[in-house]
Amino acid sequence: MLSALCLAAALTAVQTTTAAAAPALDPNTPISDDGRIGSQIQQIQQIDQIPTGRRLTTAGSAGTGNPADAKGVRPVTGTGPRVVAPDEFSTESIIAPDQRTQVTNTTTYPARANVYFTYRKPNGSTSWCTGWMYAANAVATAGHCVYSGGTGGAWNTNFTVYPGRNGSSSPYGSCGVSTAFSVTGWTQSASAEYDYAALKLTCTVGNTTGWYGLRWTTGSFNGTAVSSAGYPQDKASATQWFTSSTVSATYTRQLAYHLDTVGGQSGSAVYTSGCTTFCALAVHAYGYGDHNRGTRITEAAYNNFDNWKL
């Protein structure tokens, strides 16, 4: 009997040790709202035969500006759903003086590649964020705009994307979303360093609006001139506002800058010239009083965005 008990105890110890030794997922492991994770999503890249080398950029596109080139776009009637305050995890900052200017013509590029999108939060309320086209059928945004963050969090639902929204006007209609993506560094750990996401659209409106290219490097961006445009909560509903500044600090997975932002502008592109049109360097997400920060497009994030657009 004693030997049997010892054997059982030994087996339990081995099982416990094995379970404890299971490797943690890399924080950049992709995850989708339909339950796929890791290689289940990455297999898409093999199917589409996208080169997997160390590309540093993808090209942007100004689009045609012709709505007839977009497939699957829905006409918009009225002003859309009533929304409450945007989903913000940290106060975003105006670095006085406020240098934001309104984009009064959102049918020009790159303004038309910026999107206002609404969604239903897990508590049933409707909110919004900013995003940006980075392919004909894909939008990049902040992780906290698609998932509430951390263990026990939940996916937002009922996404509706309005490219180039300008108050009550939706010059390019709206698009639905087939899949929302983020990474486990956000969905499991709510780490600000992994606060990025994408929405796969049910349309190809990017052929009309154009899109931003992507750029990554391990080097510093300090002093790089950057711009951003989004949909702030302190201005007229669903109006787009532009700001520009320079990168003030470069971190491994974040960029700091003095772009003026408030709630609602989370998810906007932090971009510079290049990539044929403009290169997105980061996804705006946070404020720290005397500066704002975005999730840097690292090589891993770049590869995820590449997969998510297919």
Side-chain angles (χ1 to χ4, degrees):
M1 177 65 72
L2 181 59
S3 59
L5 289 174
C6 289
L7 178 60
L11 287 172
T12 300
V14 169
Q15 291 168 351
T16 301
T17 302
T18 301
L25 290 174
D26 183 284
N28 280 299
T29 301
I31 187 168
S32 65
D33 64 352
D34 57 9
R36 289 175 294 151
I37 187 168
S39 61
Q40 295 172 320
I41 296 173
Q42 293 166 338
Q43 286 170 1
I44 297 174
Q45 188 177 65
Q46 298 169 9
I47 294 170
D48 240 67
Q49 297 184 331
I50 288 182
T52 57
R54 289 172 62 85
R55 291 178 298 153
L56 302 178
T57 65
T58 56
S61 169
T64 65
N66 182 0
D69 295 324
K71 307 302 180 184
V73 175
R74 305 178 299 204
V76 175
T77 58
T79 58
R82 179 181 179 275
V83 295
V84 296
D87 232 353
E88 298 299 341
F89 274 54
S90 178
T91 302
E92 296 172 86
S93 309
I94 299 298
I95 315 299
D98 187 349
Q99 297 183 324
R100 292 174 299 165
T101 58
Q102 185 174 359
V103 181
T104 56
N105 183 1
T106 61
T107 63
T108 59
Y109 179 83
R112 64 188 181 216
N114 299 319
V115 310
Y116 168 91
F117 69 92
T118 60
Y119 51 87
R120 182 176 299 159
K121 297 168 67 174
N123 65 9
S125 64
T126 301
S127 191
W128 90 89
C129 269
T130 298
W132 41 282
M133 303 296 303
Y134 74 95
N137 63 346
V139 167
T141 189
H144 68 257
C145 293
V146 304
Y147 190 90
S148 54
T151 303
W155 293 94
N156 296 327
T157 58
N158 292 68
F159 296 96
T160 302
V161 173
Y162 303 87
R165 184 72 181 257
N166 190 9
S168 61
S169 173
S170 298
Y172 303 101
S174 69
C175 297
V177 170
S178 62
T179 312
F181 298 97
S182 189
V183 291
T184 55
W186 176 252
T187 63
Q188 295 182 4
S189 305
S191 170
E193 294 189 332
Y194 299 93
D195 191 349
Y196 69 98
L199 302 173
K200 177 72 175 293
L201 304 184
T202 58
C203 70
T204 55
V205 70
N207 289 329
T208 295
T209 63
W211 58 80
Y212 291 90
L214 305 174
R215 178 184 172 194
W216 72 271
T217 179
T218 57
S220 173
F221 282 117
N222 287 5
T224 301
V226 289
S227 301
S228 189
Y231 293 90
Q233 67 178 358
D234 64 334
K235 302 295 185 181
S237 177
T239 55
Q240 188 178 135
W241 292 75
F242 170 88
T243 182
S244 60
S245 186
T246 57
V247 174
S248 57
T250 301
Y251 303 99
T252 302
R253 284 177 286 275
Q254 290 182 312
L255 295 182
Y257 38 77
H258 291 161
L259 298 170
D260 294 312
T261 65
V262 300
Q265 292 177 256
S266 279
S268 58
V270 178
Y271 66 92
T272 191
S273 59
C275 297
T276 306
T277 54
F278 294 103
C279 288
L281 308 180
V283 180
H284 172 65
Y286 294 94
Y288 293 85
D290 62 346
H291 70 281
N292 290 303
R293 290 193 191 187
T295 310
R296 184 177 180 178
I297 298 175
T298 60
E299 182 179 15
Y302 176 98
N303 290 336
N304 277 332
F305 281 126
D306 232 6
N307 276 293
W308 294 338
K309 70 184 181 184
L310 302 174

